[in-house]
Each structure stands twice: as C-alpha cells, then as structure tokens.
Amino acid sequence: MARPRGPGERAGLDTDQVLAAARDVLRDSGVSGLSLRAVARRLGVAPNAIYSHVGSRDELLDAVLDDVLAEVRLPFAGEVARDPLGAVRAIMLASYDVLLRHPGLMPSYLDRQGSRGVQAQQLGVVTLEALGRAGLTEPAAREAMRVLIVNTIGFAAFSARPTGSPPGVMSAVELRANFLRGLDWLLDGIAR
Amino acid sequence: MARPRGPGERAGLDTDQVLAAARDVLRDSGVSGLSLRAVARRLGVAPNAIYSHVGSRDELLDAVLDDVLAEVRLPFAGEVARDPLGAVRAIMLASYDVLLRHPGLMPSYLDRQGSRGVQAQQLGVVTLEALGRAGLTEPAAREAMRVLIVNTIGFAAFSARPTGSPPGVMSAVELRANFLRGLDWLLDGIAR
DNA sequence: ACCTGAACACCGTTCAAGT
DNA sequence: ACCTGAACACCGTTCAAGT
C-alpha cells in the first residue's frame, strides 16, 4: 500500500510486529499458509526481511505457539492451595480450549516436544507446583505432567478440524466431553 | 540409472512400488523430505508421474501411514477372550513401539484424526471388540478407544526425536515407562 | 542493524501431448 | 492408462549491497 522502499531504507519493524502478522496469517490461512513469505507479504516487506527479526521458520512457529499459550488462564495461588488437582484440571481444560482455537498448530507442537517458550514454562511451573501440593514427589509430578500434556495437546489436535473442512462425525461438544473423560481418568490415577 | 524414457514410454510402475519408494524416502530423509519429487527421483521417473498412482501428497502420506500400522501385531482371539484389557494394553504398546520407529509421521496422523486406512480400521475393530468383552457398551468403548489412541500417538510423537537430532534429556527407556504409566492410569479408569 | 535485490535449490500441481 | 515436458505459483534460505 505504501511507497516501495529502496535498499537501505527501513520499514521500522520489530519482532512483536512480525509475531502479530504471523498470528494474523495463522488465523486467516492456517498453519500450512504460515510461511515467512506470507508474513513478509502482509507486512509489505521483502521475504528475507523477516530474518532480521527471527532466525528461521521453526523459530517463528515456536514464538507464535508460545504467544498462543499466553491466553491460558492460570489459577490463583488460593485455588491451587484449596484444590490442587482441581487446579491442574482447570489448567488442562483451559489449554485444550485455547489450543482448539488454533487448529493445525499442535502437530508441530508435539513434534518439538512442547514449546520451550516462557509461557509454556510458566504453565509447567504452576502445574508442577500443584501436583506437588497434591502429594507427588518431583519426579512423579514430572511424569504425571507429561502424560497430562500429551493427552491435552493430542486431543486438541485430534479435535481440531482443519479450517474450512466438513463438520466431521463428532461434534465439538462430544469431543470436549470425550477429552474430559480421559482427563479425569488420568487425574484419578494420579491421585491414587 | 537406466536409459531415459521419452513421452509415451512406460516405466512399469504400480502403486505398491510407489509406496515402497515412499517408505524408503521416509526412512532416509524423514517426513519433511518425503516429497512427491523425492519419490519420483528415487523411482527414476518425472515428478508428475506419481499422480498416475496416487492422487496427492496427502493421499501418499495416508497410505504410508497405514502401511506402517501393518507392523503392529494383533492379539489372537484367545488372548482377547482371556484378558480383554490386557489385549488392549498390548495393542497400544505395540502401536507405540511401531510408531516410534517412524518419527515425524504422527503429527500428520493426528492432524488427519487418525488414518482411515484398512490397517487402522482393523486395529480399531479388534480394540473395540476387546473393550466390549471387558464390559463396555459400544459408545463407551468408542470413547475409551479415542482416549487410548490419542495417548498412544501423542506419546509416540512426543517421544520421537527427529532423525539426527541430539539425544535429548530423557532416554527412550524413560519415555516408554512414562507412556506405560499413563496407559495404565487410563486402563484403570476404563475398567472401573 | 535493518532492509532490498537477486539468486539457489527446492516444492505440489496442472495441462498438453505421446504411445 | 501411464508417462514426459513444460509450466505455474509457490517455498526457505543465503549472499551481497545500500543506508
């Protein structure tokens, strides 16, 4: 839209703007459409300009992923103290709902063994603390958390219909109930 | 290696050979390297020749996936009758081990809501029957199976290190034990 | 430090044409 | 029916050069 820039002329971008554009592309075109070139196009810059703000496409995916996880509401300290496993349940359910709004992102998430971003780390810290308050040792808590995360991300991936695809045999409500059933089985096993 | 073919000259391919070449490429280059062009290259044909045997790259991925699932050993009818949940456990564990040998394939698997191929269907039929023998109604068995499958594929995806990447913090033995712990939690919940 | 221009080595897919 | 040739519209990434 603006006048084209010559070499040496700056666009005034920063990493946050690149990330925001990436999330826009993700929303409009899904994860398969989330290319560096598409992001650059949306920002009105040359394709390789992105490399000034992010090291590679994988780094961009990681950053977007972590950005999405910021939407997950964390329980207050009081909630954790009162009902630790209930807090864990709330975290997993909130994560499921958030991830479900971003179909296509979870496969690469699992591939990467979970995000190492700050938001993901914070979710992990709170979950581990709650599991500790529920009586688990730290190694046991880590084991339990891994199972819970795999279940949550996996079910979100399974539940997510690619954008613009036919409704599928199961409704979103049924899928969510199915996820909750599995989650409660796991929490029962963890509590035992 | 052979003499180049002109237009109209046949290569004598069939779908099985295309699939076999695809599995070779998958083994050597991982899922990111599994392109139609790479398969064509390995077969010594033009890139678009593949379209005579498979409709698209997604169809090829589906077919390869289902091919891999053929390696999962199914329990005998006797095993299912004697210990239905033990048979389910064996199916899931065998699936985990097989999928783990093909890192990178699971993300697209989850994305597709599981393979609809014949091998996957057969696995589903046997699992559902075993769950029925364990006392579950059909809707309950379907729900339980979904949770079990998500857990298995998800943990395999989580456990799989991309080919040629550093060892990672957890060993394969630890990851397998972690998967089994979650699997048994789920089976306990299902049995209740 | 941040950007453009140009290039390299790739993709999936389609269409026409040959036997 | 099965294949080649050529093309189209894409990719991620690198390198040199400009301010």
Side-chain angles (χ1 to χ4, degrees), chain A residues 80-105:
Chain A
V80 176
R82 196 180 322 115
D83 180 8
L85 286 187
V88 171
R89 190 179 190 273
I91 292 175
M92 294 303 150
L93 185 52
S95 300
Y96 176 82
D97 286 332
V98 165
L99 289 174
L100 208 48
R101 276 182 240 128
H102 303 276
L105 213 54

mmCIF file with all atom_site columns, all heavy atoms in Angstrom, chain A residues 80-105:
data_model
loop_
_atom_site.group_PDB
_atom_site.id
_atom_site.type_symbol
_atom_site.label_atom_id
_atom_site.label_alt_id
_atom_site.label_comp_id
_atom_site.label_asym_id
_atom_site.label_entity_id
_atom_site.label_seq_id
_atom_site.pdbx_PDB_ins_code
_atom_site.Cartn_x
_atom_site.Cartn_y
_atom_site.Cartn_z
_atom_site.occupancy
_atom_site.B_iso_or_equiv
_atom_site.pdbx_formal_charge
_atom_site.auth_seq_id
_atom_site.auth_comp_id
_atom_site.auth_asym_id
_atom_site.auth_atom_id
_atom_site.pdbx_PDB_model_num
ATOM 1   N N   . VAL A 1 80  ? -5.005  -23.103 43.907 1.00 0.00 ? 80  VAL A N   1
ATOM 2   C CA  . VAL A 1 80  ? -4.056  -24.213 43.942 1.00 0.00 ? 80  VAL A CA  1
ATOM 3   C C   . VAL A 1 80  ? -3.983  -24.807 45.336 1.00 0.00 ? 80  VAL A C   1
ATOM 4   O O   . VAL A 1 80  ? -3.976  -26.037 45.516 1.00 0.00 ? 80  VAL A O   1
ATOM 5   C CB  . VAL A 1 80  ? -2.653  -23.754 43.484 1.00 0.00 ? 80  VAL A CB  1
ATOM 6   C CG1 . VAL A 1 80  ? -1.650  -24.893 43.611 1.00 0.00 ? 80  VAL A CG1 1
ATOM 7   C CG2 . VAL A 1 80  ? -2.706  -23.229 42.056 1.00 0.00 ? 80  VAL A CG2 1
ATOM 8   N N   . ALA A 1 81  ? -3.966  -23.959 46.349 1.00 0.00 ? 81  ALA A N   1
ATOM 9   C CA  . ALA A 1 81  ? -3.841  -24.433 47.729 1.00 0.00 ? 81  ALA A CA  1
ATOM 10  C C   . ALA A 1 81  ? -5.092  -25.199 48.158 1.00 0.00 ? 81  ALA A C   1
ATOM 11  O O   . ALA A 1 81  ? -5.015  -26.230 48.813 1.00 0.00 ? 81  ALA A O   1
ATOM 12  C CB  . ALA A 1 81  ? -3.600  -23.248 48.665 1.00 0.00 ? 81  ALA A CB  1
ATOM 13  N N   . ARG A 1 82  ? -6.249  -24.689 47.755 1.00 0.00 ? 82  ARG A N   1
ATOM 14  C CA  . ARG A 1 82  ? -7.520  -25.283 48.185 1.00 0.00 ? 82  ARG A CA  1
ATOM 15  C C   . ARG A 1 82  ? -7.751  -26.641 47.527 1.00 0.00 ? 82  ARG A C   1
ATOM 16  O O   . ARG A 1 82  ? -8.146  -27.607 48.168 1.00 0.00 ? 82  ARG A O   1
ATOM 17  C CB  . ARG A 1 82  ? -8.667  -24.326 47.847 1.00 0.00 ? 82  ARG A CB  1
ATOM 18  C CG  . ARG A 1 82  ? -9.972  -24.645 48.592 1.00 0.00 ? 82  ARG A CG  1
ATOM 19  C CD  . ARG A 1 82  ? -11.080 -23.651 48.212 1.00 0.00 ? 82  ARG A CD  1
ATOM 20  N NE  . ARG A 1 82  ? -10.574 -22.292 48.034 1.00 0.00 ? 82  ARG A NE  1
ATOM 21  C CZ  . ARG A 1 82  ? -10.577 -21.632 46.876 1.00 0.00 ? 82  ARG A CZ  1
ATOM 22  N NH1 . ARG A 1 82  ? -11.048 -22.198 45.793 1.00 0.00 ? 82  ARG A NH1 1
ATOM 23  N NH2 . ARG A 1 82  ? -10.099 -20.404 46.801 1.00 0.00 ? 82  ARG A NH2 1
ATOM 24  N N   . ASP A 1 83  ? -7.521  -26.703 46.193 1.00 0.00 ? 83  ASP A N   1
ATOM 25  C CA  . ASP A 1 83  ? -7.811  -27.934 45.435 1.00 0.00 ? 83  ASP A CA  1
ATOM 26  C C   . ASP A 1 83  ? -6.769  -28.102 44.334 1.00 0.00 ? 83  ASP A C   1
ATOM 27  O O   . ASP A 1 83  ? -7.012  -27.742 43.184 1.00 0.00 ? 83  ASP A O   1
ATOM 28  C CB  . ASP A 1 83  ? -9.229  -27.835 44.841 1.00 0.00 ? 83  ASP A CB  1
ATOM 29  C CG  . ASP A 1 83  ? -9.593  -29.091 44.043 1.00 0.00 ? 83  ASP A CG  1
ATOM 30  O OD1 . ASP A 1 83  ? -8.834  -30.077 44.073 1.00 0.00 ? 83  ASP A OD1 1
ATOM 31  O OD2 . ASP A 1 83  ? -10.650 -29.073 43.363 1.00 0.00 ? 83  ASP A OD2 1
ATOM 32  N N   . PRO A 1 84  ? -5.632  -28.675 44.693 1.00 0.00 ? 84  PRO A N   1
ATOM 33  C CA  . PRO A 1 84  ? -4.507  -28.760 43.751 1.00 0.00 ? 84  PRO A CA  1
ATOM 34  C C   . PRO A 1 84  ? -4.873  -29.498 42.459 1.00 0.00 ? 84  PRO A C   1
ATOM 35  O O   . PRO A 1 84  ? -4.606  -28.992 41.358 1.00 0.00 ? 84  PRO A O   1
ATOM 36  C CB  . PRO A 1 84  ? -3.436  -29.535 44.525 1.00 0.00 ? 84  PRO A CB  1
ATOM 37  C CG  . PRO A 1 84  ? -3.814  -29.399 45.968 1.00 0.00 ? 84  PRO A CG  1
ATOM 38  C CD  . PRO A 1 84  ? -5.310  -29.287 46.003 1.00 0.00 ? 84  PRO A CD  1
ATOM 39  N N   . LEU A 1 85  ? -5.481  -30.654 42.564 1.00 0.00 ? 85  LEU A N   1
ATOM 40  C CA  . LEU A 1 85  ? -5.791  -31.411 41.344 1.00 0.00 ? 85  LEU A CA  1
ATOM 41  C C   . LEU A 1 85  ? -6.895  -30.733 40.534 1.00 0.00 ? 85  LEU A C   1
ATOM 42  O O   . LEU A 1 85  ? -6.921  -30.843 39.309 1.00 0.00 ? 85  LEU A O   1
ATOM 43  C CB  . LEU A 1 85  ? -6.189  -32.847 41.698 1.00 0.00 ? 85  LEU A CB  1
ATOM 44  C CG  . LEU A 1 85  ? -5.022  -33.748 42.115 1.00 0.00 ? 85  LEU A CG  1
ATOM 45  C CD1 . LEU A 1 85  ? -5.486  -35.188 42.286 1.00 0.00 ? 85  LEU A CD1 1
ATOM 46  C CD2 . LEU A 1 85  ? -3.895  -33.672 41.088 1.00 0.00 ? 85  LEU A CD2 1
ATOM 47  N N   . GLY A 1 86  ? -7.787  -30.027 41.237 1.00 0.00 ? 86  GLY A N   1
ATOM 48  C CA  . GLY A 1 86  ? -8.792  -29.236 40.526 1.00 0.00 ? 86  GLY A CA  1
ATOM 49  C C   . GLY A 1 86  ? -8.129  -28.128 39.714 1.00 0.00 ? 86  GLY A C   1
ATOM 50  O O   . GLY A 1 86  ? -8.553  -27.817 38.594 1.00 0.00 ? 86  GLY A O   1
ATOM 51  N N   . ALA A 1 87  ? -7.071  -27.556 40.267 1.00 0.00 ? 87  ALA A N   1
ATOM 52  C CA  . ALA A 1 87  ? -6.328  -26.511 39.559 1.00 0.00 ? 87  ALA A CA  1
ATOM 53  C C   . ALA A 1 87  ? -5.645  -27.092 38.322 1.00 0.00 ? 87  ALA A C   1
ATOM 54  O O   . ALA A 1 87  ? -5.654  -26.492 37.239 1.00 0.00 ? 87  ALA A O   1
ATOM 55  C CB  . ALA A 1 87  ? -5.307  -25.872 40.491 1.00 0.00 ? 87  ALA A CB  1
ATOM 56  N N   . VAL A 1 88  ? -5.070  -28.278 38.491 1.00 0.00 ? 88  VAL A N   1
ATOM 57  C CA  . VAL A 1 88  ? -4.433  -28.953 37.345 1.00 0.00 ? 88  VAL A CA  1
ATOM 58  C C   . VAL A 1 88  ? -5.468  -29.226 36.266 1.00 0.00 ? 88  VAL A C   1
ATOM 59  O O   . VAL A 1 88  ? -5.232  -28.976 35.076 1.00 0.00 ? 88  VAL A O   1
ATOM 60  C CB  . VAL A 1 88  ? -3.770  -30.278 37.791 1.00 0.00 ? 88  VAL A CB  1
ATOM 61  C CG1 . VAL A 1 88  ? -3.307  -31.072 36.585 1.00 0.00 ? 88  VAL A CG1 1
ATOM 62  C CG2 . VAL A 1 88  ? -2.604  -29.993 38.718 1.00 0.00 ? 88  VAL A CG2 1
ATOM 63  N N   . ARG A 1 89  ? -6.621  -29.697 36.701 1.00 0.00 ? 89  ARG A N   1
ATOM 64  C CA  . ARG A 1 89  ? -7.711  -29.962 35.763 1.00 0.00 ? 89  ARG A CA  1
ATOM 65  C C   . ARG A 1 89  ? -8.091  -28.695 35.005 1.00 0.00 ? 89  ARG A C   1
ATOM 66  O O   . ARG A 1 89  ? -8.301  -28.718 33.793 1.00 0.00 ? 89  ARG A O   1
ATOM 67  C CB  . ARG A 1 89  ? -8.915  -30.512 36.528 1.00 0.00 ? 89  ARG A CB  1
ATOM 68  C CG  . ARG A 1 89  ? -10.022 -31.050 35.651 1.00 0.00 ? 89  ARG A CG  1
ATOM 69  C CD  . ARG A 1 89  ? -11.150 -31.604 36.532 1.00 0.00 ? 89  ARG A CD  1
ATOM 70  N NE  . ARG A 1 89  ? -12.155 -32.343 35.763 1.00 0.00 ? 89  ARG A NE  1
ATOM 71  C CZ  . ARG A 1 89  ? -13.197 -31.767 35.174 1.00 0.00 ? 89  ARG A CZ  1
ATOM 72  N NH1 . ARG A 1 89  ? -13.352 -30.468 35.250 1.00 0.00 ? 89  ARG A NH1 1
ATOM 73  N NH2 . ARG A 1 89  ? -14.062 -32.498 34.489 1.00 0.00 ? 89  ARG A NH2 1
ATOM 74  N N   . ALA A 1 90  ? -8.186  -27.587 35.727 1.00 0.00 ? 90  ALA A N   1
ATOM 75  C CA  . ALA A 1 90  ? -8.556  -26.310 35.103 1.00 0.00 ? 90  ALA A CA  1
ATOM 76  C C   . ALA A 1 90  ? -7.513  -25.865 34.082 1.00 0.00 ? 90  ALA A C   1
ATOM 77  O O   . ALA A 1 90  ? -7.845  -25.376 33.001 1.00 0.00 ? 90  ALA A O   1
ATOM 78  C CB  . ALA A 1 90  ? -8.742  -25.251 36.179 1.00 0.00 ? 90  ALA A CB  1
ATOM 79  N N   . ILE A 1 91  ? -6.249  -26.064 34.420 1.00 0.00 ? 91  ILE A N   1
ATOM 80  C CA  . ILE A 1 91  ? -5.170  -25.670 33.500 1.00 0.00 ? 91  ILE A CA  1
ATOM 81  C C   . ILE A 1 91  ? -5.266  -26.484 32.210 1.00 0.00 ? 91  ILE A C   1
ATOM 82  O O   . ILE A 1 91  ? -5.176  -25.933 31.101 1.00 0.00 ? 91  ILE A O   1
ATOM 83  C CB  . ILE A 1 91  ? -3.780  -25.885 34.153 1.00 0.00 ? 91  ILE A CB  1
ATOM 84  C CG1 . ILE A 1 91  ? -3.581  -24.903 35.305 1.00 0.00 ? 91  ILE A CG1 1
ATOM 85  C CG2 . ILE A 1 91  ? -2.677  -25.724 33.114 1.00 0.00 ? 91  ILE A CG2 1
ATOM 86  C CD1 . ILE A 1 91  ? -2.284  -25.130 36.068 1.00 0.00 ? 91  ILE A CD1 1
ATOM 87  N N   . MET A 1 92  ? -5.459  -27.779 32.335 1.00 0.00 ? 92  MET A N   1
ATOM 88  C CA  . MET A 1 92  ? -5.509  -28.633 31.141 1.00 0.00 ? 92  MET A CA  1
ATOM 89  C C   . MET A 1 92  ? -6.737  -28.308 30.286 1.00 0.00 ? 92  MET A C   1
ATOM 90  O O   . MET A 1 92  ? -6.651  -28.246 29.061 1.00 0.00 ? 92  MET A O   1
ATOM 91  C CB  . MET A 1 92  ? -5.540  -30.108 31.558 1.00 0.00 ? 92  MET A CB  1
ATOM 92  C CG  . MET A 1 92  ? -4.261  -30.576 32.234 1.00 0.00 ? 92  MET A CG  1
ATOM 93  S SD  . MET A 1 92  ? -2.785  -30.311 31.205 1.00 0.00 ? 92  MET A SD  1
ATOM 94  C CE  . MET A 1 92  ? -1.506  -30.070 32.452 1.00 0.00 ? 92  MET A CE  1
ATOM 95  N N   . LEU A 1 93  ? -7.846  -28.086 30.967 1.00 0.00 ? 93  LEU A N   1
ATOM 96  C CA  . LEU A 1 93  ? -9.065  -27.757 30.230 1.00 0.00 ? 93  LEU A CA  1
ATOM 97  C C   . LEU A 1 93  ? -8.942  -26.415 29.506 1.00 0.00 ? 93  LEU A C   1
ATOM 98  O O   . LEU A 1 93  ? -9.335  -26.281 28.346 1.00 0.00 ? 93  LEU A O   1
ATOM 99  C CB  . LEU A 1 93  ? -10.264 -27.750 31.191 1.00 0.00 ? 93  LEU A CB  1
ATOM 100 C CG  . LEU A 1 93  ? -11.640 -27.537 30.568 1.00 0.00 ? 93  LEU A CG  1
ATOM 101 C CD1 . LEU A 1 93  ? -11.876 -28.516 29.427 1.00 0.00 ? 93  LEU A CD1 1
ATOM 102 C CD2 . LEU A 1 93  ? -12.736 -27.675 31.625 1.00 0.00 ? 93  LEU A CD2 1
ATOM 103 N N   . ALA A 1 94  ? -8.360  -25.451 30.191 1.00 0.00 ? 94  ALA A N   1
ATOM 104 C CA  . ALA A 1 94  ? -8.159  -24.130 29.569 1.00 0.00 ? 94  ALA A CA  1
ATOM 105 C C   . ALA A 1 94  ? -7.199  -24.241 28.382 1.00 0.00 ? 94  ALA A C   1
ATOM 106 O O   . ALA A 1 94  ? -7.408  -23.610 27.337 1.00 0.00 ? 94  ALA A O   1
ATOM 107 C CB  . ALA A 1 94  ? -7.627  -23.143 30.603 1.00 0.00 ? 94  ALA A CB  1
ATOM 108 N N   . SER A 1 95  ? -6.171  -25.064 28.546 1.00 0.00 ? 95  SER A N   1
ATOM 109 C CA  . SER A 1 95  ? -5.211  -25.248 27.451 1.00 0.00 ? 95  SER A CA  1
ATOM 110 C C   . SER A 1 95  ? -5.890  -25.886 26.247 1.00 0.00 ? 95  SER A C   1
ATOM 111 O O   . SER A 1 95  ? -5.672  -25.481 25.097 1.00 0.00 ? 95  SER A O   1
ATOM 112 C CB  . SER A 1 95  ? -4.047  -26.125 27.914 1.00 0.00 ? 95  SER A CB  1
ATOM 113 O OG  . SER A 1 95  ? -3.373  -25.530 29.008 1.00 0.00 ? 95  SER A OG  1
ATOM 114 N N   . TYR A 1 96  ? -6.717  -26.893 26.534 1.00 0.00 ? 96  TYR A N   1
ATOM 115 C CA  . TYR A 1 96  ? -7.464  -27.555 25.456 1.00 0.00 ? 96  TYR A CA  1
ATOM 116 C C   . TYR A 1 96  ? -8.291  -26.547 24.673 1.00 0.00 ? 96  TYR A C   1
ATOM 117 O O   . TYR A 1 96  ? -8.264  -26.516 23.438 1.00 0.00 ? 96  TYR A O   1
ATOM 118 C CB  . TYR A 1 96  ? -8.362  -28.638 26.063 1.00 0.00 ? 96  TYR A CB  1
ATOM 119 C CG  . TYR A 1 96  ? -9.278  -29.341 25.078 1.00 0.00 ? 96  TYR A CG  1
ATOM 120 C CD1 . TYR A 1 96  ? -8.819  -30.385 24.296 1.00 0.00 ? 96  TYR A CD1 1
ATOM 121 C CD2 . TYR A 1 96  ? -10.608 -28.940 24.940 1.00 0.00 ? 96  TYR A CD2 1
ATOM 122 C CE1 . TYR A 1 96  ? -9.656  -31.023 23.394 1.00 0.00 ? 96  TYR A CE1 1
ATOM 123 C CE2 . TYR A 1 96  ? -11.452 -29.576 24.037 1.00 0.00 ? 96  TYR A CE2 1
ATOM 124 C CZ  . TYR A 1 96  ? -10.969 -30.615 23.274 1.00 0.00 ? 96  TYR A CZ  1
ATOM 125 O OH  . TYR A 1 96  ? -11.797 -31.237 22.385 1.00 0.00 ? 96  TYR A OH  1
ATOM 126 N N   . ASP A 1 97  ? -9.012  -25.717 25.408 1.00 0.00 ? 97  ASP A N   1
ATOM 127 C CA  . ASP A 1 97  ? -9.889  -24.756 24.737 1.00 0.00 ? 97  ASP A CA  1
ATOM 128 C C   . ASP A 1 97  ? -9.098  -23.725 23.924 1.00 0.00 ? 97  ASP A C   1
ATOM 129 O O   . ASP A 1 97  ? -9.502  -23.354 22.819 1.00 0.00 ? 97  ASP A O   1
ATOM 130 C CB  . ASP A 1 97  ? -10.774 -24.056 25.775 1.00 0.00 ? 97  ASP A CB  1
ATOM 131 C CG  . ASP A 1 97  ? -11.875 -24.983 26.297 1.00 0.00 ? 97  ASP A CG  1
ATOM 132 O OD1 . ASP A 1 97  ? -12.284 -25.886 25.540 1.00 0.00 ? 97  ASP A OD1 1
ATOM 133 O OD2 . ASP A 1 97  ? -12.331 -24.811 27.440 1.00 0.00 ? 97  ASP A OD2 1
ATOM 134 N N   . VAL A 1 98  ? -7.976  -23.309 24.471 1.00 0.00 ? 98  VAL A N   1
ATOM 135 C CA  . VAL A 1 98  ? -7.159  -22.314 23.753 1.00 0.00 ? 98  VAL A CA  1
ATOM 136 C C   . VAL A 1 98  ? -6.542  -22.940 22.501 1.00 0.00 ? 98  VAL A C   1
ATOM 137 O O   . VAL A 1 98  ? -6.600  -22.361 21.409 1.00 0.00 ? 98  VAL A O   1
ATOM 138 C CB  . VAL A 1 98  ? -6.061  -21.748 24.675 1.00 0.00 ? 98  VAL A CB  1
ATOM 139 C CG1 . VAL A 1 98  ? -5.006  -21.007 23.864 1.00 0.00 ? 98  VAL A CG1 1
ATOM 140 C CG2 . VAL A 1 98  ? -6.670  -20.818 25.719 1.00 0.00 ? 98  VAL A CG2 1
ATOM 141 N N   . LEU A 1 99  ? -5.956  -24.122 22.661 1.00 0.00 ? 99  LEU A N   1
ATOM 142 C CA  . LEU A 1 99  ? -5.303  -24.779 21.526 1.00 0.00 ? 99  LEU A CA  1
ATOM 143 C C   . LEU A 1 99  ? -6.296  -25.085 20.416 1.00 0.00 ? 99  LEU A C   1
ATOM 144 O O   . LEU A 1 99  ? -5.971  -25.039 19.235 1.00 0.00 ? 99  LEU A O   1
ATOM 145 C CB  . LEU A 1 99  ? -4.615  -26.065 21.988 1.00 0.00 ? 99  LEU A CB  1
ATOM 146 C CG  . LEU A 1 99  ? -3.380  -25.861 22.850 1.00 0.00 ? 99  LEU A CG  1
ATOM 147 C CD1 . LEU A 1 99  ? -2.853  -27.188 23.383 1.00 0.00 ? 99  LEU A CD1 1
ATOM 148 C CD2 . LEU A 1 99  ? -2.295  -25.159 22.050 1.00 0.00 ? 99  LEU A CD2 1
ATOM 149 N N   . LEU A 1 100 ? -7.518  -25.383 20.837 1.00 0.00 ? 100 LEU A N   1
ATOM 150 C CA  . LEU A 1 100 ? -8.548  -25.738 19.863 1.00 0.00 ? 100 LEU A CA  1
ATOM 151 C C   . LEU A 1 100 ? -8.884  -24.573 18.937 1.00 0.00 ? 100 LEU A C   1
ATOM 152 O O   . LEU A 1 100 ? -9.333  -24.774 17.804 1.00 0.00 ? 100 LEU A O   1
ATOM 153 C CB  . LEU A 1 100 ? -9.819  -26.175 20.610 1.00 0.00 ? 100 LEU A CB  1
ATOM 154 C CG  . LEU A 1 100 ? -10.706 -27.167 19.864 1.00 0.00 ? 100 LEU A CG  1
ATOM 155 C CD1 . LEU A 1 100 ? -9.866  -28.293 19.314 1.00 0.00 ? 100 LEU A CD1 1
ATOM 156 C CD2 . LEU A 1 100 ? -11.771 -27.707 20.786 1.00 0.00 ? 100 LEU A CD2 1
ATOM 157 N N   . ARG A 1 101 ? -8.645  -23.373 19.424 1.00 0.00 ? 101 ARG A N   1
ATOM 158 C CA  . ARG A 1 101 ? -8.886  -22.191 18.590 1.00 0.00 ? 101 ARG A CA  1
ATOM 159 C C   . ARG A 1 101 ? -7.779  -22.008 17.555 1.00 0.00 ? 101 ARG A C   1
ATOM 160 O O   . ARG A 1 101 ? -7.845  -21.097 16.728 1.00 0.00 ? 101 ARG A O   1
ATOM 161 C CB  . ARG A 1 101 ? -8.972  -20.943 19.481 1.00 0.00 ? 101 ARG A CB  1
ATOM 162 C CG  . ARG A 1 101 ? -10.359 -20.732 20.075 1.00 0.00 ? 101 ARG A CG  1
ATOM 163 C CD  . ARG A 1 101 ? -10.415 -19.462 20.912 1.00 0.00 ? 101 ARG A CD  1
ATOM 164 N NE  . ARG A 1 101 ? -10.768 -19.724 22.298 1.00 0.00 ? 101 ARG A NE  1
ATOM 165 C CZ  . ARG A 1 101 ? -10.081 -19.289 23.360 1.00 0.00 ? 101 ARG A CZ  1
ATOM 166 N NH1 . ARG A 1 101 ? -8.992  -18.566 23.181 1.00 0.00 ? 101 ARG A NH1 1
ATOM 167 N NH2 . ARG A 1 101 ? -10.493 -19.567 24.574 1.00 0.00 ? 101 ARG A NH2 1
ATOM 168 N N   . HIS A 1 102 ? -6.777  -22.830 17.600 1.00 0.00 ? 102 HIS A N   1
ATOM 169 C CA  . HIS A 1 102 ? -5.661  -22.689 16.654 1.00 0.00 ? 102 HIS A CA  1
ATOM 170 C C   . HIS A 1 102 ? -5.345  -24.029 16.022 1.00 0.00 ? 102 HIS A C   1
ATOM 171 O O   . HIS A 1 102 ? -4.256  -24.584 16.249 1.00 0.00 ? 102 HIS A O   1
ATOM 172 C CB  . HIS A 1 102 ? -4.453  -22.099 17.362 1.00 0.00 ? 102 HIS A CB  1
ATOM 173 C CG  . HIS A 1 102 ? -4.722  -20.788 18.010 1.00 0.00 ? 102 HIS A CG  1
ATOM 174 N ND1 . HIS A 1 102 ? -4.659  -19.596 17.317 1.00 0.00 ? 102 HIS A ND1 1
ATOM 175 C CD2 . HIS A 1 102 ? -5.140  -20.471 19.244 1.00 0.00 ? 102 HIS A CD2 1
ATOM 176 C CE1 . HIS A 1 102 ? -4.983  -18.609 18.130 1.00 0.00 ? 102 HIS A CE1 1
ATOM 177 N NE2 . HIS A 1 102 ? -5.288  -19.098 19.309 1.00 0.00 ? 102 HIS A NE2 1
ATOM 178 N N   . PRO A 1 103 ? -6.275  -24.541 15.242 1.00 0.00 ? 103 PRO A N   1
ATOM 179 C CA  . PRO A 1 103 ? -6.092  -25.859 14.635 1.00 0.00 ? 103 PRO A CA  1
ATOM 180 C C   . PRO A 1 103 ? -4.833  -25.895 13.774 1.00 0.00 ? 103 PRO A C   1
ATOM 181 O O   . PRO A 1 103 ? -4.473  -24.928 13.144 1.00 0.00 ? 103 PRO A O   1
ATOM 182 C CB  . PRO A 1 103 ? -7.338  -26.031 13.775 1.00 0.00 ? 103 PRO A CB  1
ATOM 183 C CG  . PRO A 1 103 ? -7.873  -24.666 13.579 1.00 0.00 ? 103 PRO A CG  1
ATOM 184 C CD  . PRO A 1 103 ? -7.482  -23.878 14.787 1.00 0.00 ? 103 PRO A CD  1
ATOM 185 N N   . GLY A 1 104 ? -4.175  -27.004 13.802 1.00 0.00 ? 104 GLY A N   1
ATOM 186 C CA  . GLY A 1 104 ? -3.003  -27.162 12.954 1.00 0.00 ? 104 GLY A CA  1
ATOM 187 C C   . GLY A 1 104 ? -1.703  -26.815 13.631 1.00 0.00 ? 104 GLY A C   1
ATOM 188 O O   . GLY A 1 104 ? -0.631  -27.143 13.135 1.00 0.00 ? 104 GLY A O   1
ATOM 189 N N   . LEU A 1 105 ? -1.801  -26.159 14.777 1.00 0.00 ? 105 LEU A N   1
ATOM 190 C CA  . LEU A 1 105 ? -0.580  -25.741 15.464 1.00 0.00 ? 105 LEU A CA  1
ATOM 191 C C   . LEU A 1 105 ? -0.005  -26.876 16.326 1.00 0.00 ? 105 LEU A C   1
ATOM 192 O O   . LEU A 1 105 ? 1.198   -26.948 16.535 1.00 0.00 ? 105 LEU A O   1
ATOM 193 C CB  . LEU A 1 105 ? -0.895  -24.532 16.349 1.00 0.00 ? 105 LEU A CB  1
ATOM 194 C CG  . LEU A 1 105 ? 0.213   -23.511 16.517 1.00 0.00 ? 105 LEU A CG  1
ATOM 195 C CD1 . LEU A 1 105 ? 0.709   -23.033 15.166 1.00 0.00 ? 105 LEU A CD1 1
ATOM 196 C CD2 . LEU A 1 105 ? -0.251  -22.337 17.351 1.00 0.00 ? 105 LEU A CD2 1
#
